[in-house]
Amino acid sequence: KVEPPKPDIKKEVIDETFYVAVDMMPEPSGGIESIQRKIIYPPEARRDKIEGKVIVKAFIDEAGSVRRAEIVKGIGSGCDQAAIVAVMSSRFRPGRMNGKVVKVQMTLALMFRL
């Protein structure tokens, strides 16, 4: 029995290394205030008078785009999701390591105050 030739499968290695400490950390365009302004306070959190700090881990690529974001510490009532949306829709000045633009993982603290 003759087996058909296997097609050449080229495996593309995607470098998903995000630095934690770099020479120059990414900075949100317009500062952290620009992210704060993008937050839409969830109606249920407003109704229940939920306030506090949401800690978000953001993964920023070489272009300054947020690849993904996750909650490190949340306060619930829709605030965590609102923080993720605000971070994901933000642009950053990319981080640099040894003069080269690199992917960086950073933590952001976003305040929810009524």
Side-chain angles (χ1 to χ4, degrees):
K1 184 176 165 186
V2 178
E3 295 219 4
K6 288 189 170 64
D8 281 349
I9 298 169
K10 287 191 170 55
K11 286 196 174 112
E12 186 183 340
V13 179
I14 299 165
D15 178 25
E16 280 302 317
T17 305
F18 284 85
Y19 290 92
V20 180
V22 292
D23 302 334
M24 203 167 81
M25 288 301 279
E27 253 175 49
S29 300
I32 192 81
E33 302 80 29
S34 68
I35 299 176
Q36 283 286 164
R37 282 193 299 271
K38 289 180 182 180
I39 292 173
I40 296 162
Y41 221 111
E44 63 269 30
R46 195 177 288 281
R47 185 191 64 231
D48 298 339
K49 296 181 174 37
I50 304 289
E51 292 186 323
K53 188 189 293 182
V54 175
I55 310 288
V56 180
K57 189 187 290 178
F59 296 84
I60 298 137
D61 67 15
E62 302 92 335
S65 297
V66 180
R67 283 282 191 85
R68 72 179 197 273
E70 52 196 51
I71 296 297
V72 175
K73 179 181 167 292
I75 57 174
S77 295
C79 295
D80 304 352
Q81 194 53 41
I84 293 269
V85 169
V87 169
M88 290 298 294
S89 67
S90 299
R91 297 280 305 162
F92 286 75
R93 186 201 65 213
R96 291 180 169 273
M97 183 78 158
N98 301 325
K100 251 177 50 189
V101 175
V102 292
K103 294 180 193 149
V104 180
Q105 166 191 317
M106 69 184 294
T107 307
L108 302 158
L110 300 171
M111 293 305 299
F112 282 79
R113 269 203 199 93
L114 287 168

